[in-house]
Amino acid sequence: MKLTIPNILTFIRVLLIPLFVAVIYFPDPWMHASDSGLLAAVIFIVAAITDAFDGFLARKLNQSTAFGAFLDPVADKLMVMAALIVLVDLQRISSVLALIIIGREITISALREWMAQIGKSANIAVSTLGKVKTSAQMVAIPFLLYNQVLFNFIPCHLIGTLCLVMAALLTLISMFYYLRVAVKVGF
């Protein structure tokens, strides 16, 4: 494994996952719930920013590696899945929303693996719809982790919930898109 700047950023993102999970569960004597929610949201945002930069830097610095291509999407999925499970546990989102998003990620990961095995991985590349879905998730989750009224007028729970519902809808649409592509190439 070649240690590159993009790979280091991906490793940092993986290490931030247990940190934001732990922070959200800090007991009140350690940190007030609104403060731990804010800190967890900030950690999640930092992790999401590393996701944006690692791919950009890999291309810009010509430091793309097979290991980075593998670990980057795994880190993204772990980050989102961990956050969704925490949010269900805290009763901030419906388990149905989490199951839709997590189920789609598992299904599409398996589909991509199968497509790679039959030499058709180019047919199932990330679509614009998938990118919009990911963006909606990355906006929703910090709002839901914080879960307070921000600046006395921004309803974080409402905004986060609306963005996550949009992400779940886009998740279903993109999953059907990917499955339709798979059927066309020989499912």
Side-chain angles (χ1 to χ4, degrees), residues 115-128:
M115 296 289 282
Q117 287 179 2
I118 65 169
K120 302 283 187 177
S121 59
N123 295 67
I124 196 106
V126 176
S127 70
T128 302

Side-chain angles (χ1 to χ4, degrees), residues 124-143:
I124 196 106
V126 176
S127 70
T128 302
L129 189 59
K131 291 178 182 181
V132 172
K133 178 232 14 137
T134 299
S135 297
Q137 289 174 171
M138 296 306 184
V139 169
I141 290 170
F143 277 109

Side-chain angles (χ1 to χ4, degrees), residues 7-100:
N7 286 349
I8 291 168
L9 288 174
T10 302
F11 277 125
I12 289 169
R13 186 162 70 256
V14 170
L15 294 173
L16 289 175
I17 296 167
L19 183 61
F20 84 75
V21 170
V23 164
I24 200 77
Y25 288 110
F26 277 172
D28 268 344
W30 290 6
M31 184 180 285
H32 190 269
S34 63
D35 295 333
S36 64
L38 178 60
L39 183 56
V42 168
I43 293 168
F44 186 90
I45 291 166
V46 168
I49 290 169
T50 68
D51 180 34
F53 279 117
D54 66 4
F56 170 77
L57 289 174
R59 289 183 296 278
K60 183 83 169 162
L61 302 174
N62 196 25
Q63 293 184 345
S64 296
T65 65
F67 182 73
F70 159 76
L71 187 60
D72 181 61
V74 170
D76 297 344
K77 287 168 185 36
L78 287 173
M79 188 172 77
V80 169
M81 289 180 191
L84 293 175
I85 291 167
V86 165
L87 292 169
V88 167
D89 183 54
L90 296 172
Q91 299 179 345
R92 294 182 186 174
I93 64 168
S94 162
S95 58
V96 172
L97 288 176
L99 286 171
I100 288 170

Side-chain angles (χ1 to χ4, degrees), residues 170-185:
L170 293 172
T171 290
L172 290 173
I173 293 166
S174 68
M175 182 175 74
F176 289 123
Y177 165 78
Y178 287 129
L179 290 173
R180 192 180 78 217
V181 169
V183 167
K184 284 183 181 179
V185 298

